Amino acid sequence: QAQLVESGGGLVQPGESLRLSCAASGVTLDRYAINWYRQAPGKEREGLSCISEGSRYTADFVKDRFTISKDNAVNTAYLQMTNLKPEDTAVYLCAAVYGLSCKQGVHEYSTMNVRGRGTQVTVSS
């Protein structure tokens, strides 16, 4: 059974960093485009970043602070987040879609083949 499990969230102070992980089972990530999203209470879901074999994309509003990567050997994708701000507080989710690249940006969440349940990130002093 295909599954994605996010981890690495938590409570941090403004300016600190976190690395989120998206561990896959039942799928081989090198055949998927892995996307990161976030959703804050009362706000729409935002597409943050995408990585596939040979392409990656990060949204302009976070690209100076967030970096996506993956390690096929451990079937895990990551989102490194630096200089976190209170407005980054949200549930962060990863999702994967088979066979696509990230050349066009983050994929629509509704088109994902596999979705994780999310990890909470809270940035507060």
mmCIF file of all heavy atoms in Angstrom, residues 37-48 88-93 109 119-121:
data_model
loop_
_atom_site.group_PDB
_atom_site.id
_atom_site.type_symbol
_atom_site.label_atom_id
_atom_site.label_comp_id
_atom_site.label_asym_id
_atom_site.label_seq_id
_atom_site.Cartn_x
_atom_site.Cartn_y
_atom_site.Cartn_z
ATOM 1 N N TYR A 37 3.219 21.095 0.237
ATOM 2 C CA TYR A 37 2.184 22.104 0.384
ATOM 3 C C TYR A 37 2.121 22.499 1.861
ATOM 4 O O TYR A 37 2.645 21.806 2.726
ATOM 5 C CB TYR A 37 0.810 21.550 -0.009
ATOM 6 C CG TYR A 37 0.760 20.888 -1.357
ATOM 7 C CD1 TYR A 37 1.144 19.558 -1.509
ATOM 8 C CD2 TYR A 37 0.315 21.577 -2.485
ATOM 9 C CE1 TYR A 37 1.097 18.933 -2.753
ATOM 10 C CE2 TYR A 37 0.263 20.956 -3.727
ATOM 11 C CZ TYR A 37 0.659 19.639 -3.843
ATOM 12 O OH TYR A 37 0.612 19.024 -5.071
ATOM 13 N N ARG A 38 1.400 23.584 2.114
ATOM 14 C CA ARG A 38 1.083 23.914 3.496
ATOM 15 C C ARG A 38 -0.313 24.506 3.554
ATOM 16 O O ARG A 38 -0.797 25.078 2.586
ATOM 17 C CB ARG A 38 2.094 24.891 4.094
ATOM 18 C CG ARG A 38 2.048 26.312 3.538
ATOM 19 C CD ARG A 38 3.164 27.144 4.136
ATOM 20 N NE ARG A 38 3.143 28.508 3.629
ATOM 21 C CZ ARG A 38 4.097 29.395 3.873
ATOM 22 N NH1 ARG A 38 5.162 29.051 4.614
ATOM 23 N NH2 ARG A 38 4.007 30.622 3.391
ATOM 24 N N GLN A 39 -0.925 24.321 4.719
ATOM 25 C CA GLN A 39 -2.252 24.888 4.922
ATOM 26 C C GLN A 39 -2.349 25.435 6.333
ATOM 27 O O GLN A 39 -2.171 24.689 7.306
ATOM 28 C CB GLN A 39 -3.351 23.856 4.675
ATOM 29 C CG GLN A 39 -4.739 24.451 4.762
ATOM 30 C CD GLN A 39 -5.749 23.707 3.936
ATOM 31 O OE1 GLN A 39 -5.587 22.520 3.640
ATOM 32 N NE2 GLN A 39 -6.809 24.387 3.542
ATOM 33 N N ALA A 40 -2.610 26.721 6.413
ATOM 34 C CA ALA A 40 -2.798 27.383 7.698
ATOM 35 C C ALA A 40 -4.283 27.500 7.982
ATOM 36 O O ALA A 40 -5.096 27.531 7.048
ATOM 37 C CB ALA A 40 -2.143 28.760 7.673
ATOM 38 N N PRO A 41 -4.671 27.584 9.254
ATOM 39 C CA PRO A 41 -6.092 27.700 9.592
ATOM 40 C C PRO A 41 -6.731 28.890 8.898
ATOM 41 O O PRO A 41 -6.192 30.002 8.924
ATOM 42 C CB PRO A 41 -6.071 27.877 11.107
ATOM 43 C CG PRO A 41 -4.797 27.247 11.548
ATOM 44 C CD PRO A 41 -3.821 27.503 10.441
ATOM 45 N N GLY A 42 -7.860 28.637 8.253
ATOM 46 C CA GLY A 42 -8.595 29.717 7.604
ATOM 47 C C GLY A 42 -8.015 30.190 6.291
ATOM 48 O O GLY A 42 -8.514 31.154 5.710
ATOM 49 N N LYS A 43 -6.969 29.536 5.831
ATOM 50 C CA LYS A 43 -6.340 29.944 4.573
ATOM 51 C C LYS A 43 -6.360 28.809 3.572
ATOM 52 O O LYS A 43 -6.489 27.635 3.930
ATOM 53 C CB LYS A 43 -4.899 30.390 4.824
ATOM 54 C CG LYS A 43 -4.778 31.638 5.687
ATOM 55 C CD LYS A 43 -3.340 32.109 5.751
ATOM 56 C CE LYS A 43 -3.211 33.395 6.550
ATOM 57 N NZ LYS A 43 -1.804 33.869 6.600
ATOM 58 N N GLU A 44 -6.211 29.165 2.306
ATOM 59 C CA GLU A 44 -6.154 28.145 1.261
ATOM 60 C C GLU A 44 -4.808 27.415 1.305
ATOM 61 O O GLU A 44 -3.797 27.959 1.746
ATOM 62 C CB GLU A 44 -6.338 28.792 -0.114
ATOM 63 C CG GLU A 44 -7.731 29.333 -0.348
ATOM 64 C CD GLU A 44 -7.937 29.785 -1.783
ATOM 65 O OE1 GLU A 44 -6.980 29.714 -2.577
ATOM 66 O OE2 GLU A 44 -9.060 30.184 -2.114
ATOM 67 N N ARG A 45 -4.832 26.194 0.828
ATOM 68 C CA ARG A 45 -3.601 25.426 0.713
ATOM 69 C C ARG A 45 -2.650 26.090 -0.288
ATOM 70 O O ARG A 45 -3.090 26.563 -1.336
ATOM 71 C CB ARG A 45 -3.916 24.008 0.259
ATOM 72 C CG ARG A 45 -2.729 23.066 0.249
ATOM 73 C CD ARG A 45 -3.130 21.697 -0.276
ATOM 74 N NE ARG A 45 -4.238 21.139 0.452
ATOM 75 C CZ ARG A 45 -5.431 20.905 -0.076
ATOM 76 N NH1 ARG A 45 -5.675 21.231 -1.339
ATOM 77 N NH2 ARG A 45 -6.391 20.371 0.657
ATOM 78 N N GLU A 46 -1.365 26.125 0.051
ATOM 79 C CA GLU A 46 -0.362 26.737 -0.829
ATOM 80 C C GLU A 46 0.608 25.671 -1.326
ATOM 81 O O GLU A 46 1.097 24.863 -0.535
ATOM 82 C CB GLU A 46 0.449 27.803 -0.081
ATOM 83 C CG GLU A 46 -0.338 28.985 0.416
ATOM 84 C CD GLU A 46 0.563 29.985 1.125
ATOM 85 O OE1 GLU A 46 1.155 29.621 2.162
ATOM 86 O OE2 GLU A 46 0.665 31.131 0.652
ATOM 87 N N GLY A 47 0.899 25.693 -2.596
ATOM 88 C CA GLY A 47 1.935 24.834 -3.148
ATOM 89 C C GLY A 47 3.287 25.483 -2.962
ATOM 90 O O GLY A 47 3.474 26.648 -3.318
ATOM 91 N N LEU A 48 4.226 24.735 -2.390
ATOM 92 C CA LEU A 48 5.519 25.303 -2.030
ATOM 93 C C LEU A 48 6.635 24.883 -2.972
ATOM 94 O O LEU A 48 7.417 25.715 -3.422
ATOM 95 C CB LEU A 48 5.884 24.876 -0.612
ATOM 96 C CG LEU A 48 4.927 25.280 0.494
ATOM 97 C CD1 LEU A 48 5.353 24.640 1.807
ATOM 98 C CD2 LEU A 48 4.852 26.786 0.619
ATOM 99 N N ASP A 88 4.775 31.371 8.630
ATOM 100 C CA ASP A 88 5.022 30.024 8.120
ATOM 101 C C ASP A 88 4.268 28.957 8.917
ATOM 102 O O ASP A 88 4.284 27.783 8.556
ATOM 103 C CB ASP A 88 6.513 29.695 8.150
ATOM 104 C CG ASP A 88 7.336 30.556 7.210
ATOM 105 O OD1 ASP A 88 6.872 30.798 6.077
ATOM 106 O OD2 ASP A 88 8.434 30.984 7.612
ATOM 107 N N THR A 89 3.623 29.352 9.987
ATOM 108 C CA THR A 89 2.873 28.403 10.803
ATOM 109 C C THR A 89 1.754 27.772 9.983
ATOM 110 O O THR A 89 0.926 28.469 9.402
ATOM 111 C CB THR A 89 2.287 29.113 12.037
ATOM 112 O OG1 THR A 89 3.358 29.565 12.865
ATOM 113 C CG2 THR A 89 1.377 28.186 12.828
ATOM 114 N N ALA A 90 1.770 26.454 9.914
ATOM 115 C CA ALA A 90 0.800 25.722 9.085
ATOM 116 C C ALA A 90 1.029 24.224 9.264
ATOM 117 O O ALA A 90 2.026 23.807 9.863
ATOM 118 C CB ALA A 90 0.966 26.089 7.613
ATOM 119 N N VAL A 91 0.116 23.449 8.713
ATOM 120 C CA VAL A 91 0.347 22.018 8.517
ATOM 121 C C VAL A 91 1.024 21.856 7.161
ATOM 122 O O VAL A 91 0.530 22.363 6.150
ATOM 123 C CB VAL A 91 -0.961 21.229 8.567
ATOM 124 C CG1 VAL A 91 -0.715 19.765 8.227
ATOM 125 C CG2 VAL A 91 -1.610 21.353 9.939
ATOM 126 N N TYR A 92 2.144 21.155 7.168
ATOM 127 C CA TYR A 92 2.910 20.929 5.943
ATOM 128 C C TYR A 92 2.661 19.504 5.462
ATOM 129 O O TYR A 92 2.788 18.547 6.238
ATOM 130 C CB TYR A 92 4.388 21.175 6.196
ATOM 131 C CG TYR A 92 4.716 22.646 6.287
ATOM 132 C CD1 TYR A 92 4.288 23.404 7.373
ATOM 133 C CD2 TYR A 92 5.411 23.290 5.267
ATOM 134 C CE1 TYR A 92 4.557 24.768 7.453
ATOM 135 C CE2 TYR A 92 5.691 24.651 5.339
ATOM 136 C CZ TYR A 92 5.256 25.381 6.432
ATOM 137 O OH TYR A 92 5.527 26.726 6.496
ATOM 138 N N LEU A 93 2.332 19.392 4.189
ATOM 139 C CA LEU A 93 1.963 18.106 3.614
ATOM 140 C C LEU A 93 2.828 17.800 2.403
ATOM 141 O O LEU A 93 3.170 18.701 1.640
ATOM 142 C CB LEU A 93 0.509 18.110 3.167
ATOM 143 C CG LEU A 93 -0.536 18.549 4.197
ATOM 144 C CD1 LEU A 93 -1.067 19.930 3.840
ATOM 145 C CD2 LEU A 93 -1.682 17.560 4.255
ATOM 146 N N TYR A 109 -2.964 19.800 -5.938
ATOM 147 C CA TYR A 109 -3.076 18.792 -4.888
ATOM 148 C C TYR A 109 -4.077 17.703 -5.259
ATOM 149 O O TYR A 109 -3.886 16.527 -4.938
ATOM 150 C CB TYR A 109 -3.480 19.481 -3.588
ATOM 151 C CG TYR A 109 -3.476 18.586 -2.379
ATOM 152 C CD1 TYR A 109 -2.275 18.207 -1.777
ATOM 153 C CD2 TYR A 109 -4.670 18.129 -1.823
ATOM 154 C CE1 TYR A 109 -2.267 17.391 -0.657
ATOM 155 C CE2 TYR A 109 -4.666 17.320 -0.705
ATOM 156 C CZ TYR A 109 -3.457 16.954 -0.126
ATOM 157 O OH TYR A 109 -3.453 16.144 0.985
ATOM 158 N N THR A 119 2.457 17.430 8.831
ATOM 159 C CA THR A 119 3.167 17.660 10.081
ATOM 160 C C THR A 119 3.023 19.138 10.434
ATOM 161 O O THR A 119 3.122 20.005 9.570
ATOM 162 C CB THR A 119 4.649 17.253 9.968
ATOM 163 O OG1 THR A 119 5.300 17.394 11.227
ATOM 164 C CG2 THR A 119 5.407 18.071 8.919
ATOM 165 N N GLN A 120 2.759 19.413 11.700
ATOM 166 C CA GLN A 120 2.496 20.775 12.136
ATOM 167 C C GLN A 120 3.804 21.522 12.358
ATOM 168 O O GLN A 120 4.712 21.021 13.041
ATOM 169 C CB GLN A 120 1.688 20.768 13.436
ATOM 170 C CG GLN A 120 1.441 22.137 14.038
ATOM 171 C CD GLN A 120 0.480 22.985 13.230
ATOM 172 O OE1 GLN A 120 -0.568 22.505 12.795
ATOM 173 N NE2 GLN A 120 0.824 24.256 13.033
ATOM 174 N N VAL A 121 3.868 22.720 11.804
ATOM 175 C CA VAL A 121 4.979 23.637 12.060
ATOM 176 C C VAL A 121 4.397 24.886 12.703
ATOM 177 O O VAL A 121 3.479 25.509 12.150
ATOM 178 C CB VAL A 121 5.719 24.004 10.765
ATOM 179 C CG1 VAL A 121 6.734 25.112 11.014
ATOM 180 C CG2 VAL A 121 6.395 22.766 10.177
#
